[in-house]
Amino acid sequence: MMARGGPCALSVMSFVLMLWQEASSIEVPLDPKIQQDLKQPPTIVKQSLKDYIVDPRDNIIIECEAKGNPVPMFSWRRNGKFFNVGKDPRVTMRKRSGTLEISFRSGGRPEDYEGEYQCFASNDFGTALTNKILLRVSKSPLWPKEVLEPVVVTEGSPLVLSCNPPPGLPPPLTFWMNSNMMSIAQDRRVSMGLNGDLYFSNVLAKDSQTDYSCNARFLFTHTIQQKNPYTLKVQTKEPYNDTSSVNSTDLYSGRKVTETPPAFLSPTGTDSSMMVLRGEKLQLECIASGVPTPSIKWFKKGGDLNQKVKLENYNKTLQIDSVSEEDAGEYMCMANNQIGSIRHSIYVQVKAAPYWLDKPSNLVLAPNENGRLVCRTNGNPKPDIQWLVNGEPIGSDSSLPNPSREVVGDTIIFRSVQTGSSAVYQCNASNQHGYLLANAFVSILDMAPRMLGPKNQLIKVIENNRTFLDCPFFGSPLPELRWFKNGQGSGLDGGHYRVYINGTLEIKRALAEDQGTYTCVASNILGKEENQVRLEVKEPTRIVRAPEHQSAIRGTMARFDCRVKSDASLPITVTWLKDDKPLSLGWRLKKDEDSLSIPSVNEGDEGVYTCTVKTEIDQDTASARLTVLEDASLFPSQSSALPTDRPDPPTDLELSDPAASSIRLTWIPGDDHNSPVTRFVVQFEEDHWERGKWQNLSSYPGDLNSVVLQLSPFINYQFRVLAVNSVGQSRPSRPSQRYQTSPAPPDTIPSDLKGWGTNKNNMEISWEPLLDTERNGPNLKYLVWWRRKDTGEDWSNVTTEKTKHIVQDTETYVPYEIKLQAKNDIGPGPESNIITGYSGEDKPTAPPTDLRVFKPESTKVSIHWTPVDPSTVQGEFKEYRVYYWREASMVKGLHVNKEKKTKGFYSTVAQPTGILTDLHPYSHYRMFMVVANTRYEGPPSNHVEFYTKEGVPDVPTSLKIVQRSTDYIRLEWEKPVEPNGILIGYTLKYQTVNGSQVGRMVIESFLPNVTSYKLRLPDRALRYKFYLAARTQVGAGEVLAVESPHFTNEDFFSSGNGSMSSVPVKQPPIKLAGLIEGAKYRLRVYSSEYHSISSKVVTFETSTAYIKDHVDIATQGWFIGLMCAIALIILILLIVCFIKRSRGGKYPVRDKKDLPLEGVDQKGEDGSFDYQNENENENSCSLQSSDEDNKPLQGSQNSLDGGVKESDDSLVDYGEGGDGQFNEDGSFIGQYTVKKDKDETEGNESSEATSPVNAIYSLA
């Protein structure tokens, strides 16, 4: 039945909602006069719990409180039948209340009053119900008498000691103790189960005791019942020794206890199941036996254990405090020790008693208005919804019929309600796990308009301020409110005024002419009422001459100005503050109308002075700092003008008064260096997101040194302070200690929320992520909701850490409502406004039809077409797009560019039109049209051909002066690239120009095949300007102009063949390039503006390629000198080589210390060698020249001190004590001198002194 009736009901409801305009419920103000006269059905305000357990030692009180007008009357039902309170002497009902009190002072048993109670509150407008209250009396029964035999077990065996507490109401708490009232020690081996039993995974000899006692504690009676104790005897293979367990590294091996694999004591078997209700506590237990004691681990199939899971009782118990549907599934516990492991699966099923999604709320309607009550719940299984009116099921014989009421599933729809149909409706949602009951009244209210505000109020406002005139009112039906000024006009709304729905009139900018009496009139069908507000517009209060910062020398007078301008009708009060504290004006400090005087200033007068001017409606303040300086005459060494500098950084930053989102920061200002600090800048740094980056937090006036900082949650702050004066900004202070703010839910809504499809069957929802400092807590996530717009379907949602979510399997281009919320581990943030997004687009399915052209012209054409059905666009309509191209020109032989062009037309009218522009005249065009959304184009329309009319031609391609002489000018031109029709000729216009003066215009016409013109010059100094245009039958085209000559100042010259050329002249001299060899030229310089100003004509002839007076370089003096120098150098080199060869071998080599020449080769410390034979390694001239071409010429000669200097394959320094040199291969050669006999040396000196070769060596 549900399957067939459901869709029908939904379709009916959808149809009804489409045709029906719902009125919002009337909000009744809390005004005492309104509430006193307002008639309303009853509302339950207080009631007892559904499951109500009472203490039998106390009186029983069952609460039922309700409000309404008239005051409700109360009645009760017990176990579904009327409960006559007056017939039972023990039962009384409180006055003006439905609360029952059952007293047992005169006897009676509380158990006799157990049962199900329900309270009814009624007045003339309906009946409200409480929940069904199940009353039960608390019970704490005694433990049954029993004789417990001693429990005998073998050491290492498992054991369970049963508790089985007596069933109490509510169930008792159990625990195990011994005879000394000490709790039984529990650990991984010994623990109590959820059922109260005591489990031993394995028994040890030390467990032998005679007083294992289970205790039950009953909460209501605050009593503890004790079970008879168990006696436990453990049989062992070896005597038990207390020290054995301490000395042994293994608890069991030392006592020879057999090791056993794990086995479950609770639960039993390989799997079990459990059902738990949503919101209740889930407790799963696994207790295993085995030697050694097994350890317990928990797993959930298909995922990890979430953060709600708590493991207790040494991991034997898994607990979730509040279960939700996502906690259902298969949980596995695994017990393992070194012998083996075992698993047990527990299948958890989560059901749900009914819970609210949309609880019905009271509805106040005016006559003939519409409304609805909605009762939306959820549960598992799905709850059944039952509607009642005044406690009776709708549709039953006892319920009143109401033709304006219709029940559609979980909604009651009211249409055109009438007076007298007020009632209280109950929604009862139930399934096998529980029920929900909610009352909501529908009150039909008719009331004439009433004014709720004070009468004839006077409002004073400041000119140019935004002003609100309040006129609170109420009535049912909702009155219409209108405003009038000075009793005239047709109502104020729009332009300068705006009327809000609550009756407030806004004046966007109050001016002097807005002053007057305003009347608000509220009216409905039952009457009208009015109120008046008198508005006075005042001039603002301003300090026109404010106090200024100043420095005063101690003992002199300081004066602060404070001149005020205000409205003459408003009395003003001027007060002075010093450092934000009231200033005491006495014999020394004097205040007059416009200033404050401080004579004989001293150090105590230094500070910030604030002038505050107040009227009854506004105020203004201004501040300045006074700095007291020492008398400059006491310090003659100092300058009379004290130097200023940037302030020193603040010191001693201290944090105090910490709060969740604020903290107080205090600091000591640094030296201001004779320039008062005007402000302090507080900066912060946090070490999680942008470590080390300092950012401005806030700025404060320079007279403060203790401020309360407003902070963001979940940030580890560190602060520093900078001081600013007129010179500049101080260095930052030392950082404060860190302060970590507490986490909180996000308080920012992610921005730029949008939804748009990336393909035809999806919608991508994206947004801008929150800033790191806006996270406010750990694990930031985003909760995204979406649903089809205007369909009434439920919201879908997903939680993600990303900044976008793609909704799959959508229909093509349908609107969705989207909202977004950020949340973290602390809680959710505010929801965003609902925006509209769209799923993806697809290709349009239909083309535009009947595409046609009208009125083609030369460069444009009008087009018409039949639009497509909007549903075929399959996306957001963007435009109708025309593709057109030039097929050909009707001018024969003219090739055209056939590139396609597009033009879009946005039109939603029934008969759209458009104009194609920028077309080429006299051309053949083709076109078609498509409809386009933002992503795709649809199929093409019919193709259309059209022809543009003939137009005026384009500008000629070129116009050049190709030849000029003193007697004529020759012009040549080229035809236009686009004739735009059939050319019929050219029009050439020209005139003489002389500066700003022009001559008569001469017009020449030519046939289309003529492209040149020769103009004879009556005066060779004349300058002409030419204008050329091509013509078709339509007319002349654009003009091309050229001047002769082209530049302001030119050299003008002509060659022998009669051609002329000109060159612009900026300043002399100039170079003429491009002349012909051996040609004759005539040259003159003239002014192009004043042709009469000209030089004489100069004739010159260019030379040929080889002229006759060419000078041979061989005859030049510099060249002859160079050649002689080169020959001399070569001659000297040859002489040197010859002399060296004739002198023979090398002299013996000795070191600096004049050591005697040894008979064997000796290798020095520096790596060079001496030689045994002077004749060995002799250098020849040929070797010297070939091996050392790149080295200076060298030979053996006497040094200045008489020594002989030699060179073999290396360069040796001249003279004793010179620096060492290097071989060609880079090795070091020491410095040597050759010792000679005096007469030999003298002989050498005499012979070399007269030698020209030696003289050359000396120069070298």
PDB file of all heavy atoms in Angstrom, residues 108-124:
ATOM      1  N   GLY A 108      -0.166   3.849  52.630  1.00  0.00           N
ATOM      2  CA  GLY A 108      -0.191   3.567  51.200  1.00  0.00           C
ATOM      3  C   GLY A 108       1.144   3.078  50.681  1.00  0.00           C
ATOM      4  O   GLY A 108       2.206   3.300  51.291  1.00  0.00           O
ATOM      5  N   ARG A 109       1.096   2.382  49.567  1.00  0.00           N
ATOM      6  CA  ARG A 109       2.299   1.818  48.951  1.00  0.00           C
ATOM      7  C   ARG A 109       2.588   2.560  47.648  1.00  0.00           C
ATOM      8  O   ARG A 109       1.695   2.679  46.792  1.00  0.00           O
ATOM      9  CB  ARG A 109       2.116   0.331  48.673  1.00  0.00           C
ATOM     10  CG  ARG A 109       1.895  -0.505  49.925  1.00  0.00           C
ATOM     11  CD  ARG A 109       1.578  -1.973  49.563  1.00  0.00           C
ATOM     12  NE  ARG A 109       2.685  -2.599  48.871  1.00  0.00           N
ATOM     13  CZ  ARG A 109       2.663  -2.919  47.571  1.00  0.00           C
ATOM     14  NH1 ARG A 109       1.589  -2.648  46.856  1.00  0.00           N
ATOM     15  NH2 ARG A 109       3.712  -3.503  47.025  1.00  0.00           N
ATOM     16  N   PRO A 110       3.800   3.048  47.449  1.00  0.00           N
ATOM     17  CA  PRO A 110       4.130   3.703  46.176  1.00  0.00           C
ATOM     18  C   PRO A 110       3.940   2.777  44.980  1.00  0.00           C
ATOM     19  O   PRO A 110       3.618   3.243  43.886  1.00  0.00           O
ATOM     20  CB  PRO A 110       5.598   4.096  46.360  1.00  0.00           C
ATOM     21  CG  PRO A 110       5.788   4.194  47.827  1.00  0.00           C
ATOM     22  CD  PRO A 110       4.895   3.148  48.424  1.00  0.00           C
ATOM     23  N   GLU A 111       4.148   1.463  45.179  1.00  0.00           N
ATOM     24  CA  GLU A 111       4.019   0.528  44.062  1.00  0.00           C
ATOM     25  C   GLU A 111       2.608   0.542  43.490  1.00  0.00           C
ATOM     26  O   GLU A 111       2.391   0.179  42.319  1.00  0.00           O
ATOM     27  CB  GLU A 111       4.402  -0.881  44.508  1.00  0.00           C
ATOM     28  CG  GLU A 111       5.889  -1.082  44.778  1.00  0.00           C
ATOM     29  CD  GLU A 111       6.309  -0.557  46.148  1.00  0.00           C
ATOM     30  OE1 GLU A 111       5.438  -0.104  46.911  1.00  0.00           O
ATOM     31  OE2 GLU A 111       7.537  -0.577  46.432  1.00  0.00           O
ATOM     32  N   ASP A 112       1.607   0.930  44.309  1.00  0.00           N
ATOM     33  CA  ASP A 112       0.225   0.930  43.815  1.00  0.00           C
ATOM     34  C   ASP A 112       0.004   2.012  42.769  1.00  0.00           C
ATOM     35  O   ASP A 112      -1.019   1.984  42.058  1.00  0.00           O
ATOM     36  CB  ASP A 112      -0.743   1.145  44.986  1.00  0.00           C
ATOM     37  CG  ASP A 112      -0.703  -0.007  45.975  1.00  0.00           C
ATOM     38  OD1 ASP A 112      -0.255  -1.109  45.555  1.00  0.00           O
ATOM     39  OD2 ASP A 112      -1.089   0.182  47.142  1.00  0.00           O
ATOM     40  N   TYR A 113       0.933   2.979  42.678  1.00  0.00           N
ATOM     41  CA  TYR A 113       0.753   4.094  41.728  1.00  0.00           C
ATOM     42  C   TYR A 113       1.647   3.960  40.498  1.00  0.00           C
ATOM     43  O   TYR A 113       1.765   4.899  39.720  1.00  0.00           O
ATOM     44  CB  TYR A 113       1.016   5.421  42.446  1.00  0.00           C
ATOM     45  CG  TYR A 113      -0.044   5.754  43.453  1.00  0.00           C
ATOM     46  CD1 TYR A 113       0.077   5.321  44.764  1.00  0.00           C
ATOM     47  CD2 TYR A 113      -1.185   6.452  43.082  1.00  0.00           C
ATOM     48  CE1 TYR A 113      -0.906   5.601  45.704  1.00  0.00           C
ATOM     49  CE2 TYR A 113      -2.181   6.748  44.017  1.00  0.00           C
ATOM     50  CZ  TYR A 113      -2.035   6.309  45.319  1.00  0.00           C
ATOM     51  OH  TYR A 113      -3.014   6.577  46.229  1.00  0.00           O
ATOM     52  N   GLU A 114       2.303   2.817  40.360  1.00  0.00           N
ATOM     53  CA  GLU A 114       3.077   2.601  39.136  1.00  0.00           C
ATOM     54  C   GLU A 114       2.151   2.524  37.938  1.00  0.00           C
ATOM     55  O   GLU A 114       1.033   2.014  38.045  1.00  0.00           O
ATOM     56  CB  GLU A 114       3.920   1.329  39.259  1.00  0.00           C
ATOM     57  CG  GLU A 114       5.087   1.431  40.210  1.00  0.00           C
ATOM     58  CD  GLU A 114       5.955   0.181  40.202  1.00  0.00           C
ATOM     59  OE1 GLU A 114       5.413  -0.928  40.019  1.00  0.00           O
ATOM     60  OE2 GLU A 114       7.168   0.336  40.373  1.00  0.00           O
ATOM     61  N   GLY A 115       2.605   3.018  36.798  1.00  0.00           N
ATOM     62  CA  GLY A 115       1.806   2.967  35.579  1.00  0.00           C
ATOM     63  C   GLY A 115       2.217   4.059  34.614  1.00  0.00           C
ATOM     64  O   GLY A 115       3.233   4.744  34.782  1.00  0.00           O
ATOM     65  N   GLU A 116       1.386   4.250  33.573  1.00  0.00           N
ATOM     66  CA  GLU A 116       1.658   5.208  32.507  1.00  0.00           C
ATOM     67  C   GLU A 116       0.710   6.396  32.661  1.00  0.00           C
ATOM     68  O   GLU A 116      -0.516   6.221  32.656  1.00  0.00           O
ATOM     69  CB  GLU A 116       1.482   4.554  31.143  1.00  0.00           C
ATOM     70  CG  GLU A 116       1.919   5.409  29.980  1.00  0.00           C
ATOM     71  CD  GLU A 116       1.756   4.680  28.653  1.00  0.00           C
ATOM     72  OE1 GLU A 116       0.589   4.477  28.245  1.00  0.00           O
ATOM     73  OE2 GLU A 116       2.775   4.300  28.047  1.00  0.00           O
ATOM     74  N   TYR A 117       1.262   7.596  32.809  1.00  0.00           N
ATOM     75  CA  TYR A 117       0.487   8.804  33.043  1.00  0.00           C
ATOM     76  C   TYR A 117       0.654   9.740  31.840  1.00  0.00           C
ATOM     77  O   TYR A 117       1.723   9.818  31.234  1.00  0.00           O
ATOM     78  CB  TYR A 117       0.937   9.516  34.309  1.00  0.00           C
ATOM     79  CG  TYR A 117       0.642   8.761  35.599  1.00  0.00           C
ATOM     80  CD1 TYR A 117       1.452   7.703  36.008  1.00  0.00           C
ATOM     81  CD2 TYR A 117      -0.437   9.115  36.401  1.00  0.00           C
ATOM     82  CE1 TYR A 117       1.188   7.023  37.173  1.00  0.00           C
ATOM     83  CE2 TYR A 117      -0.709   8.437  37.579  1.00  0.00           C
ATOM     84  CZ  TYR A 117       0.102   7.391  37.971  1.00  0.00           C
ATOM     85  OH  TYR A 117      -0.159   6.706  39.130  1.00  0.00           O
ATOM     86  N   GLN A 118      -0.411  10.496  31.570  1.00  0.00           N
ATOM     87  CA  GLN A 118      -0.358  11.522  30.525  1.00  0.00           C
ATOM     88  C   GLN A 118      -1.240  12.680  30.935  1.00  0.00           C
ATOM     89  O   GLN A 118      -2.382  12.495  31.378  1.00  0.00           O
ATOM     90  CB  GLN A 118      -0.810  10.987  29.162  1.00  0.00           C
ATOM     91  CG  GLN A 118      -0.538  11.952  28.023  1.00  0.00           C
ATOM     92  CD  GLN A 118      -0.757  11.323  26.648  1.00  0.00           C
ATOM     93  OE1 GLN A 118      -1.542  10.382  26.515  1.00  0.00           O
ATOM     94  NE2 GLN A 118      -0.063  11.823  25.645  1.00  0.00           N
ATOM     95  N   CYS A 119      -0.682  13.931  30.792  1.00  0.00           N
ATOM     96  CA  CYS A 119      -1.356  15.146  31.223  1.00  0.00           C
ATOM     97  C   CYS A 119      -1.950  15.857  30.006  1.00  0.00           C
ATOM     98  O   CYS A 119      -1.310  15.929  28.949  1.00  0.00           O
ATOM     99  CB  CYS A 119      -0.366  16.059  31.955  1.00  0.00           C
ATOM    100  SG  CYS A 119      -1.039  17.654  32.458  1.00  0.00           S
ATOM    101  N   PHE A 120      -3.178  16.427  30.195  1.00  0.00           N
ATOM    102  CA  PHE A 120      -3.876  17.167  29.154  1.00  0.00           C
ATOM    103  C   PHE A 120      -4.092  18.585  29.677  1.00  0.00           C
ATOM    104  O   PHE A 120      -4.664  18.774  30.767  1.00  0.00           O
ATOM    105  CB  PHE A 120      -5.221  16.528  28.826  1.00  0.00           C
ATOM    106  CG  PHE A 120      -5.110  15.205  28.133  1.00  0.00           C
ATOM    107  CD1 PHE A 120      -4.678  14.072  28.819  1.00  0.00           C
ATOM    108  CD2 PHE A 120      -5.443  15.076  26.796  1.00  0.00           C
ATOM    109  CE1 PHE A 120      -4.580  12.848  28.186  1.00  0.00           C
ATOM    110  CE2 PHE A 120      -5.345  13.849  26.160  1.00  0.00           C
ATOM    111  CZ  PHE A 120      -4.903  12.738  26.842  1.00  0.00           C
ATOM    112  N   ALA A 121      -3.642  19.617  28.914  1.00  0.00           N
ATOM    113  CA  ALA A 121      -3.845  21.028  29.254  1.00  0.00           C
ATOM    114  C   ALA A 121      -4.764  21.640  28.212  1.00  0.00           C
ATOM    115  O   ALA A 121      -4.440  21.629  27.015  1.00  0.00           O
ATOM    116  CB  ALA A 121      -2.511  21.770  29.303  1.00  0.00           C
ATOM    117  N   SER A 122      -5.929  22.181  28.653  1.00  0.00           N
ATOM    118  CA  SER A 122      -6.954  22.623  27.705  1.00  0.00           C
ATOM    119  C   SER A 122      -7.435  24.013  28.062  1.00  0.00           C
ATOM    120  O   SER A 122      -7.483  24.408  29.229  1.00  0.00           O
ATOM    121  CB  SER A 122      -8.148  21.656  27.725  1.00  0.00           C
ATOM    122  OG  SER A 122      -7.749  20.335  27.466  1.00  0.00           O
ATOM    123  N   ASN A 123      -7.776  24.772  27.010  1.00  0.00           N
ATOM    124  CA  ASN A 123      -8.557  25.998  27.158  1.00  0.00           C
ATOM    125  C   ASN A 123      -9.495  26.101  25.964  1.00  0.00           C
ATOM    126  O   ASN A 123      -9.680  25.118  25.223  1.00  0.00           O
ATOM    127  CB  ASN A 123      -7.655  27.229  27.342  1.00  0.00           C
ATOM    128  CG  ASN A 123      -6.835  27.560  26.116  1.00  0.00           C
ATOM    129  OD1 ASN A 123      -7.019  26.972  25.059  1.00  0.00           O
ATOM    130  ND2 ASN A 123      -5.914  28.506  26.260  1.00  0.00           N
ATOM    131  N   ASP A 124     -10.077  27.290  25.750  1.00  0.00           N
ATOM    132  CA  ASP A 124     -11.099  27.421  24.707  1.00  0.00           C
ATOM    133  C   ASP A 124     -10.541  27.217  23.304  1.00  0.00           C
ATOM    134  O   ASP A 124     -11.310  27.034  22.352  1.00  0.00           O
ATOM    135  CB  ASP A 124     -11.726  28.820  24.788  1.00  0.00           C
ATOM    136  CG  ASP A 124     -12.466  29.033  26.101  1.00  0.00           C
ATOM    137  OD1 ASP A 124     -12.798  28.015  26.739  1.00  0.00           O
ATOM    138  OD2 ASP A 124     -12.682  30.205  26.472  1.00  0.00           O
TER     139      ASP A 124
END
